[in-house]
Amino acid sequence: MSQPTTRSTRRSAVAAHPMISAAIAVLVVADIFFALYTPIYSRITPKLGDFPFFYWYLLIFMPLTSLVLWIVMQLQKRLTPPAGDEGSLR
Amino acid sequence: MSHVNATTFTIVVVLFLLVTGVGFAAARWRRAANMRHLDEWGLGGRGFGTFITWFLLGGDLYTAYTFIAVPALVFGSGSIGFYAVAYTIVVFPIVLIFLPRLWSVSRVHGYITPADFIRGRYGSRGLALASAFTGILALMPYIALQLVGIQAVLSVMGVGTSSSNTFVKDLPLFIAFLVLAIFTYVSGLRAPALIAFVKDTLIYVFVLVAVFYIPTRLGGWGHIFHVTQTHFATVSPVTKQPLGTFLPTAKNVGATRFDFASLALGSAVALFLYPHAITGTLAAKHRSAVKRNMIYLPLYSVLLALIALFGYMAIADPVTAANVKKAGNAQLAVPYLFQHMFPSWFTGIAFAGIIIGALVPAAIMAIAAANLFTRNIFVEFFKQDASPALQTRMSQWASLVVKLGALLFAVELPHTFSINLQLLGGVWILQLGPMLIGGLFTRWFHRWALLAGWFTGMIYGTLCAYNVHNPTTSHWAASSDIVFGHSIYIGLSAVILNLVVAVVLTLLLKAAHVPEGTDETLPHQYTADPDSPAPVPAGVAASVE
C-alpha cells in the first residue's frame, strides 16, 4: 500500500486553536462529570411533577447530552483543516 | 401448553415470520458486485449512512436482554438499576473521543475487527490473539443472554413450559434460533441492519404507549414512586437490610453512590470495546456518520430510562408483583406487567418487539465473533494466504458454531451462570481498554507490557468477581467489591491495575531496549475520512515482516 508522507495533522490543529480545544475539553468533561457525580442528584427534591429529582435529572440529561455533543461537533469542525485537505490524503 | 393466549401468540408468530422474510430479503439489499468478500458479509459493504447506522447501532447496543434485565434489577434492587441510565449518558461523550479515530484507521487499512487494528498497530500476533480471545469469550454469554430474554417472554406467554424434556420444552426457542442462524449465514450484517428497522418501530411504539398508559391504570406516577419508596425501605428478614435503595446512598449499605458511578463509568468505557459494537461502527460509510450517531443515539437512552421505570410499575402493580414472586424470577417483571396491563393484541406486539429485539444483537454478535475467529485466529495462525472468498465462507460457518454454542449455554446451563458470565464479560472486555483506546492515541505502551497488563487484569477481575459474596449467595453475588474502603465496580479496579502494570513494564522494557514491533499506521490516518471504498484488507498476513 502506498503511504503518503506524514504531514501536520490534528496535533497542530489543536495547537492552532487553543480556545476551541479547551472549550471542547470542558464540555466533554462536564458532561461526564455531572452524569456520574451522584451526590448532586441523589435526592428526592425538588420534584418535577411526580418525579423525584434523581429520576427527572437523569431523564433530562439525555437530550442535554445530545445538545452538548452537537456543540462539540460544531466546534470540532472549526478545529480540523478544510475538508479537501483531509480527503486528498489517499 | 397451559393458557396460551391465541391472539398474542398469533401476532407474535406473524411478526416473527415477517422478520424472517426481511432477514432473507436482506441478502439482496444494497448488493455489491463482489459479494464473496468479508467486507460484504461481515460489514455490510461498509456502506451504511447515518440513518441506517443509527438503527443498526441502536439495535446492536440496546439489546432485548437489556430490556429484560434492567427493569429486573430495578424491580429487585431499586435505584442501582438506573446506573444503566447514567451509563448510556456518559458513553457518548467518552466514545466520541476515540471511536471516530478507530473508524478512520480501520477504513484506511481495511481492518475488519478490533484485533486487526491491534495487530497492525503493535505488530504483535500475540496481543491480537489475546484481544480476539477476550472478545469471543465476552460475546458468547452475551449471545446466550439474548436467548434467555426470549425464554422469559415465551414462558410468560405460556409457550413450551409444560414438558420436562429439554428439547420439547425449548422447541420454540430452537426454531427462533435456527431461523436466526440461517438468515445470518445467508445475509450477513445486512440482515440485522434491515431487521433493526422493524424491531425499533415495535419497541418505540410499545414503550411510549406503556409509559403513558400504564401509570393511568396504576394511580399515576406519584403513586408508583410512593409505593416503591416504601417497598425498598422495608427491612428484609433474610439479610437484615433494606430490600433496596430508592436513591443511591452515601453509606456502605446496599448499593452506594460509588457503586452507581463506577458501574456506570466502567460499563460506558466497556460498551464500545465489545466487538459487536465495533462491527456496527465499522459498517458506517463516513466518519461523520459515526460522529453524528453520538448525537442521535441518546434517543435510545431515553427509551432505556423509560424501560427501567417499568420495574417500578411492576412493583406498584400488585398482580404483577405477585406473579413475579410466584415465579421467583425478577426477569419476568416486564413480560408479566405487559400481559396484565395490555389487551392481548398489544401484548403480542410488545412481546414480538422483545423477541425480535433479541435476534438483532444476537446476529451482530455472532458475526463479530465469527470475524474475530476468521481474521485473527484462522487466517493469522492457520492459513495466511486465505482468499477473501474463503474468509467469508469461514466466517459464515463460524457464525453458526458460535450461535450453536450460545444455544447450548442458554438451554443447558442455569441462567444465573450465564448472567454471571455476562457480568464477567464486562470485566474482561474492559481489559482491552489500554491496548485499544490507548493505542488509538499513543504508541508509547510496549506490546508486551500491554499483554502482561491484560493478563493481570483478567486474572484479578475474575478472582474478585468469584469471591464477592453476600448473605444469600456465596459467589458472584455482585459486580462490586470493596477496595480501599470504597465499594467499586470490579471491572474498573481491574483495568486500573491493568494500566499500572502496563505503564511500569513499558518503562522497564523500554529501558531494556526490547524490540517494540512495527507500527503500520500513520498519525494522519486516525483522522482520515476517505470517500472511496476501503482497499482490499491489508491482511494480517501481508503487512508486517
Side-chain angles (χ1 to χ4, degrees), chain B residues 282-341:
Chain B
L282 296 188
K285 192 176 188 179
H286 294 291
R287 186 179 161 96
S288 60
V290 175
K291 290 179 117 183
R292 284 202 195 110
N293 266 289
M294 300 304 124
I295 297 173
Y296 302 134
L297 279 171
L299 194 56
Y300 280 98
S301 306
V302 177
L303 205 67
L304 181 66
L306 300 176
I307 288 171
L309 286 170
F310 290 158
Y312 282 176
M313 294 180 196
I315 293 173
D317 177 32
V319 176
T320 303
N323 274 337
V324 175
K325 200 162 204 170
K326 204 174 89 188
N329 182 359
Q331 301 204 348
L332 303 183
V334 163
Y336 270 130
L337 180 75
F338 287 168
Q339 196 185 39
H340 182 234
M341 286 290 150

Side-chain angles (χ1 to χ4, degrees), chain B residues 90-309:
Chain B
V90 294
V91 66
F92 298 109
I94 291 175
V95 162
L96 186 66
I97 299 169
F98 72 87
L99 202 61
R101 293 177 71 84
L102 180 62
W103 182 90
S104 287
V105 73
S106 300
R107 185 59 171 238
V108 172
H109 287 276
Y111 298 145
I112 292 174
T113 68
D116 282 353
F117 164 68
I118 304 268
R119 173 75 166 92
R121 178 64 150 168
Y122 299 101
S124 167
R125 302 165 76 186
L127 200 57
L129 179 66
S131 73
F133 170 75
T134 314
I136 296 172
L137 199 65
L139 279 179
M140 289 290 276
Y142 214 160
I143 302 174
L145 280 185
Q146 302 307 321
L147 298 181
V148 172
I150 296 181
Q151 274 179 323
V153 171
L154 289 178
S155 79
V156 169
M157 278 170 70
V159 177
T161 46
S162 51
S163 173
S164 58
N165 180 318
T166 312
F167 186 73
V168 177
K169 185 174 136 230
D170 289 314
L171 191 60
L173 188 68
F174 277 98
I175 295 171
F177 218 52
L178 198 66
V179 170
L180 165 75
I182 296 173
F183 74 59
T184 312
Y185 179 92
V186 172
S187 308
L189 196 65
R190 285 177 170 79
L194 206 53
I195 293 174
F197 285 89
V198 183
K199 172 222 157 189
D200 288 342
T201 312
L202 291 175
I203 286 184
Y204 272 101
V205 166
F206 86 69
V207 169
L208 289 177
V209 169
V211 156
F212 287 101
Y213 172 71
I214 296 181
T216 63
R217 290 273 308 269
L218 292 176
W221 283 106
H223 180 70
I224 293 172
F225 281 121
H226 178 74
V227 170
T228 41
Q229 196 173 359
T230 321
H231 169 78
F232 284 127
T234 316
V235 174
S236 154
V238 186
T239 60
K240 310 284 180 228
Q241 282 187 357
L243 285 176
T245 49
F246 188 64
L247 298 174
T249 58
K251 290 169 294 179
N252 250 343
V253 282
T256 66
R257 291 169 178 177
F258 206 70
D259 272 337
F260 183 94
S262 64
L263 201 54
L265 181 63
S267 311
V269 176
L271 185 61
F272 274 87
L273 293 173
Y274 271 107
H276 66 286
I278 294 177
T279 297
T281 307
L282 296 188
K285 192 176 188 179
H286 294 291
R287 186 179 161 96
S288 60
V290 175
K291 290 179 117 183
R292 284 202 195 110
N293 266 289
M294 300 304 124
I295 297 173
Y296 302 134
L297 279 171
L299 194 56
Y300 280 98
S301 306
V302 177
L303 205 67
L304 181 66
L306 300 176
I307 288 171
L309 286 170

